[in-house]
Amino acid sequence: MAKYDAVLFDVDGTLLHSSPGILACMAETFRQAGFDPDTIDLTRYLGPPLRQSFGEHTQDKALVERMVEIYRTEYHHTGQHMCSPYSGVVKMLETLRSAGIWMYTATAKPTTVVTPILEEQGLAGYFRFIGGASEDASAETKTAVIRAVLSRPELAGKRVLMVGDRKDDMQGAAACKLPAAGVLYGYGSREELAAFEPVFLAQDCEQLTRCIMEL
C-alpha cells in the first residue's frame, strides 16, 4: 500500500525540462525593460513567481507589471513550446495512476498558462486537477497555490505529498504542513533542498516513483 493518497507536483524542473524557453523569455524581458540580461544570473528565476523575480531589480511596481506582461507575451509565442518531459515522467505518472494515487499540479505558472503546455506535452490527462497561480498577484506564491489545491473537498483527510525541485516548493509545503520530496534532476541543488529536510531526495523519476510507492 502506498504511503500517500495524493501527490502535488511542481511542473518546471520536476515534470518538464523547460529552462530553454524560460531563460530566453527572461532575457528578452529584461532587455525590453532596459536591463542587460548578460549581467543577471537568470537561472535564479527558474521557479519563483515572476513578480518576485522582477521586483529584485526595480521598486517601480508599474515596471514590474510591464515586465510580467512582456514575459507572458514572449512565453506564449515561443517559450512554452521549448520544453519536454524529463526522462521517466510518463512512466512515473502511469505507475502512480495505476496504483490509484491522485495527482495534481501546484505550479507558480498561472493555470491558464500551464494547462495548454501540459496538454501539448500529453500530460494533462494524468492530473485530477491542474493547480496553478492566479494571473494577478492575489495567489502567486507556491504557498498560496498549494493551499488552494488542498482546499479541494476530495483532499480532506488525505495523505498528501508535495514534490518539487526548488526551495519555494519546500517552503510552500512546510507552510501548508505537508511532507515534501525533492528531485535532484531539476533546477535546484541538493544543498538548497536538503536545508528543508524533505522526506526524501530523488535522483530520477524511477527513484521518485519507488519512494512514493515505497517499493
Side-chain angles (χ1 to χ4, degrees):
M1 179 180 177
K3 186 175 182 179
Y4 303 101
D5 302 307
V7 180
L8 277 53
F9 284 99
D10 171 51
V11 174
D12 296 322
T14 301
L15 298 175
L16 297 179
H17 174 44
S18 50
S19 61
I22 294 173
L23 294 177
C25 294
M26 277 283 178
E28 182 59 25
T29 299
F30 278 110
R31 191 175 293 113
Q32 289 192 35
F35 300 93
D36 181 359
D38 293 334
T39 65
I40 301 170
D41 178 11
L42 299 177
T43 61
R44 293 181 56 219
Y45 306 129
L46 291 168
L50 292 176
R51 290 180 180 85
Q52 175 183 317
S53 300
F54 298 143
E56 292 184 4
H57 297 269
T58 176
Q59 298 294 315
D60 186 338
K61 292 185 178 180
L63 178 56
V64 169
E65 291 303 316
R66 178 171 167 251
M67 293 175 75
V68 169
E69 182 179 352
I70 293 170
Y71 177 88
R72 287 181 175 166
T73 299
E74 292 291 326
Y75 196 77
H76 175 73
H77 289 304
T78 59
Q80 70 178 33
H81 306 295
M82 300 167 65
C83 63
S84 59
Y86 283 104
S87 175
V89 161
V90 173
K91 183 178 180 181
M92 174 180 67
L93 297 179
E94 288 277 6
T95 301
L96 297 180
R97 181 170 66 179
S98 297
I101 295 174
W102 295 346
M103 290 175 287
Y104 300 72
T105 70
T107 172
K109 273 184 165 62
T111 305
T112 53
V113 174
V114 74
T115 300
I117 295 174
L118 292 173
E119 289 172 345
E120 181 178 324
Q121 297 299 325
L123 302 182
Y126 290 103
F127 299 99
R128 190 179 180 98
F129 177 74
I130 296 175
S134 58
E135 292 280 354
D136 58 18
S138 62
E140 65 176 357
T141 67
K142 189 56 65 84
T143 298
V145 172
I146 294 173
R147 187 170 289 129
V149 175
L150 290 176
S151 71
R152 295 184 61 80
E154 73 269 17
L155 286 176
K158 298 298 183 182
R159 301 166 301 168
V160 183
L161 175 73
M162 176 66 201
V163 178
D165 70 312
R166 299 303 306 267
K167 65 179 181 181
D168 300 75
D169 303 306
M170 305 295 107
Q171 288 172 331
C176 294
K177 296 180 170 54
L178 286 187
V183 300
L184 298 174
Y185 55 79
Y187 304 133
S189 66
R190 176 181 290 272
E191 293 72 23
E192 176 182 339
L193 297 172
F196 295 91
E197 301 182 346
V199 290
F200 57 82
L201 293 171
Q203 294 282 355
D204 52 35
C205 289
E206 182 178 357
Q207 186 178 29
L208 177 58
T209 305
R210 288 200 306 270
C211 290
I212 293 173
M213 298 286 295
E214 287 199 324
L215 297 178

